[in-house]
């Protein structure tokens, strides 16, 4: 995708830290049992705490630790490349949104470099989790409901396409999504929606192949 030096949605790499998403590195670790911190669970509403506990239990049983994963990074890259978007994510919805798969521009591109986590309240993935189906936003500013968002301000996002990661048990583990600082024609919305839906199926297939505990 071409870069536009004068594009108002392009954030210089030297922008103040407050305008970027959290830059927390997530190191690869040896897969193994994991448990959610109790303090995070008790701070949630009862229903949210139950859903979070179910996600952790299922991920633990499936042998899928919530850490950066090269296979998920590759899936995120393929999804973003097919869509022609700058950013792609495989996102587990835990205490924070946790990007086990991540594709983004190079560090010297001038675009915002994001970390591996983000608040549960930011972005549009919480909406995908709630509706349990794909959310196509070819232009986030076309809808007042979705235009006011911390991600819009931090990264200058104009388009978002996301789909849920739903296990056969009915548990929604997270999402896959792509975002970009350029809006897309409405005529492209169905094709882009199908790309993220197909990517979500690929992620769930990968998870299903993990050794069950």
């Amino acid at each position: 995708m071409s870069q536009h030096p004068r594009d108002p949605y392009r954030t210089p790499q030297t922008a103040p830290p407050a305008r970027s998403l959290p830059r927390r590195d997530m190191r690869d670790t040896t897969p193994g049992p994991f448990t959610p911190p109790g303090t995070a669970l008790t701070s949630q509403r009862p229903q949210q705490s139950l859903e979070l506990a179910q996600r952790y239990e299922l991920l633990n049983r499936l042998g899928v630790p919530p850490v950066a994963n090269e296979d998920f990074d590759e899936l995120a890259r393929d999804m973003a490349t097919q869509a022609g978007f700058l950013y792609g994510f495989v996102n587990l919805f835990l205490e924070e949104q946790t990007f086990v798969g991540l594709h983004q521009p190079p560090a010297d591109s001038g675009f915002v470099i994001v970390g591996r986590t983000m608040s549960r309240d930011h972005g549009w993935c919480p909406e995908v989790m709630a509706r349990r189906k794909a959310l196509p936003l070819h232009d986030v500013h076309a809808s007042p409901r979705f235009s006011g968002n911390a991600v819009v301000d931090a990264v200058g996002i104009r388009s978002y396409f996301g789909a849920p990661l739903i296990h056969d048990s009915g548990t929604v583990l997270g999402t896959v999504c792509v975002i970009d600082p350029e809006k897309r024609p409405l005529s492209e919305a169905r094709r882009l929606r199908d790309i993220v839906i197909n990517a979500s199926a690929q992620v769930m297939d990968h998870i299903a192949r993990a050794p069950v505990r």
Side-chain angles (χ1 to χ4, degrees), residues 28-185:
D28 290 327
T29 62
T30 302
F34 52 90
T35 56
T39 54
L41 289 178
T42 56
S43 66
Q44 308 273 343
R45 293 196 297 269
Q47 181 61 31
Q48 289 180 325
S49 296
L50 175 60
E51 292 173 352
L52 181 57
Q54 289 173 338
R55 287 183 201 119
Y56 271 108
E57 189 280 330
L58 179 58
L59 290 170
N60 191 32
R61 181 162 53 86
L62 294 173
V64 180
V67 297
N69 181 290
E70 290 183 359
D71 291 335
F72 290 145
D73 283 347
E74 183 176 349
L75 285 167
R77 182 180 68 247
D78 290 346
M79 175 176 57
T81 299
Q82 289 179 46
F85 277 50
L86 287 181
Y87 301 84
F89 303 85
V90 178
N91 177 16
L92 297 181
F93 214 76
L94 304 173
E95 292 92 359
E96 296 181 290
Q97 298 183 62
T98 303
F99 308 138
V100 294
L102 174 62
H103 172 76
Q104 60 183 325
D108 61 354
S109 66
F111 291 98
V112 169
I113 303 303
V114 304
R116 287 278 184 173
T117 62
M118 186 172 71
S119 167
R120 290 167 56 96
D121 300 324
H122 290 174
W124 300 272
C125 287
E127 177 72 16
V128 174
M129 295 289 294
R131 61 193 274 150
R132 298 171 65 97
K133 64 179 182 180
L135 176 63
L137 298 175
H138 72 285
D139 181 1
V140 299
H141 292 306
S143 171
R145 178 181 177 185
F146 297 114
S147 61
N149 196 294
V151 174
V152 172
D153 297 332
V155 191
I157 297 306
R158 288 297 299 274
S159 53
Y160 167 95
F161 288 79
L165 297 172
I166 305 178
H167 186 257
D168 290 342
S169 64
T171 299
V172 185
L173 293 173
T175 67
V176 296
C177 68
V178 290
I179 58 176
D180 197 85
E182 294 183 7
K183 66 181 181 179
R184 295 300 193 270

